[in-house]
Amino acid sequence: MTYDVIVLGAGLAGLSCARDLMLGGADVLVVEARDRVGGRVDQATLPDGRLVQLGGEVVGRGHTAYLGLVSELGLSLVPSYVAEPGEIVYSTASSVSAGRPGWFTPADVASDEKVTAAFVALAKTVDPDDPWSHPDADRLDRLPVSAWLREAGATEGVVRLWEIGQLGLAGGSYDRISLLSELRKSAAVPSAGHYEYDDWEGLRVAEGSATVALRLAASVQVRAGAPVAAVRIAPSGCTVTLASGEELTTSAVVSALPVGPLRGVHVDGVSSARLSSLHRQRNALAAKLAVAYPRPFWRDLGRNGLSECEGVLGSTWPQSEGVLSALIPPERYAVLLGIPPRLRISELLAEVTRMYGPAEPIAAYLRFWGTDPWTQGYVTQWAPGDVMAVGPPHGTHEPPFYVCGSDQWVAGYMEGAVRTGRTAAREALRRG
Ligand SMILES: Cc1cc2nc3c(=O)[nH]c(=O)nc-3n(C[C@H](O)[C@H](O)[C@H](O)COP(=O)(O)OP(=O)(O)OC[C@H]3O[C@@H](n4cnc5c(N)ncnc54)[C@H](O)[C@@H]3O)c2cc1C
């Protein structure tokens, strides 16, 4: 049997692409390596019925493609951790403080306001769809964010606070992130400030973010447990070879694979410029801890469960009633792997206790997304020089080879997956 389109990967990108192709009248098959759909969104159910999100979780008001899909699927959005009462905690080597850390002086506050305004103004000069055309693109791309902060006159307190926030997001140290990529990300979801939580993280799907993938998968044909080893692209017909050796034939191929696993797939019939652009992209390696407690005990101390930390954990936030999420950023991933396996969760929980006091968890889940063979990452990471090196092929297609996935948007995220997935479907349908 020959399909109109074979989509590689059943994450949010592949599934939203396949659904639109199917609704457009195409005969589509999604091939997926794992024995489950969803990719970087996954959830567990507690004995009391609560869902625990183990991957992607929150979205913002600016994530219009994702919000539109959620409403089409009949799912509902509710405020995320931003609605939780209480104070944020900063946990550094020397102190745990509710609200801004004691070392952040009034001079730092003034400096923060000044550099934030400069950052927002500079972001307005970058076209998120074409950052390469910026007159100063090369220099901005080679400049790490922390170097720009110092150039812009930020105090060391501000540089440290931005770094703590960035490691909280687990995107990789600002010493190693391209300023152009950060400006592009900011320009894609315009905001009054730098990474405003409401615009990027203020909402979540009440039924569970992994339910979005399950709903999508219910309407499309998915072959799970079928890793792809090779694809051959030709206008006269394409072949997808599974790791089992089985060959599938199709008129077009959509790759919805993360950039790490994509490097392991042999691709023939696509220009070397496109392949080297795709293979140049990288991901930040992160792990996620999700801990379920009987109740939101952090409220007892007047804290909202949100923290930015300088431990092995980079951040915590309440994902739902009594369930706490935490990220381990790339810089501390190796430290986590170095902890003897049976001590890992207890050492991370000790960091939680330091911030919120003792509490007995019902369940704890630790997922090593950075070294998971089918993800090899977390979100896209743009090191200095990477935006220019990946270049304008980023997120574009070479029919009958189409590309989507959160890595093909400015900065990852579930928004990137849905946005690029639906765009790839539109493009493939337009070309028949
Ligand atoms: C811990 C964590 C927390 C996150 N938090 C958030 C958040 O709060 N908000 C947000 O917006 N985003 C978040 N993200 C990012 C977001 O989840 C992802 O960007 C998005 O889900 C990626 O979707 P995708 O379809 O592009 O890729 P994926 O979900 O990675 O899907 C790719 C699919 O391809 C499959 N695959 C890989 N190799 C092969 C192969 N050779 N053959 C066949 N199939 C293959 C994989 O198994 C996978 O199912 C988070 C991610 C992680 C890991």
Side-chain angles (χ1 to χ4, degrees), residues 17-28 216 219-221 425 429:
C17 178
R19 175 173 172 270
D20 284 358
L21 286 166
M22 194 251 330
L23 292 174
D27 189 6
V28 191
L216 288 169
S219 64
V220 296
Q221 195 187 345
L429 288 170

Side-chain angles (χ1 to χ4, degrees), residues 11 247 300 396:
E247 287 201 340
D300 300 348
T396 65

Side-chain angles (χ1 to χ4, degrees), residues 8-15 31-34 36-41 54-59 63 66 200-201 226-229 256-258 261-262 264-265 286-288 317 326-327 367 369 372-375 377-380 404-407 411-418 420:
L8 318 181
L12 287 174
L15 292 171
V31 282
E32 165 56 46
R34 291 180 169 111
R36 64 166 182 86
V37 298
R40 276 171 271 178
V41 294
L54 310 175
E57 199 188 304
V58 292
V59 291
H63 293 176
Y66 184 90
W200 285 86
E201 304 192 351
V228 174
L257 304 180
L262 177 61
V265 175
K288 178 168 175 175
W317 67 95
L327 283 172
R367 287 288 287 267
W369 292 97
D372 179 311
W374 305 120
T375 300
Y378 153 65
V379 292
T380 324
C404 64
S406 64
D407 299 325
Y413 290 84
M414 298 187 290
E415 169 67 13
V418 173
T420 59

Side-chain angles (χ1 to χ4, degrees), residues 341-360:
R342 70 184 176 81
L343 297 180
R344 284 174 186 156
I345 289 183
S346 59
E347 289 198 8
L348 296 177
L349 291 180
E351 293 189 19
V352 173
T353 302
R354 184 171 178 251
M355 295 186 281
Y356 306 125
E360 200 53 49

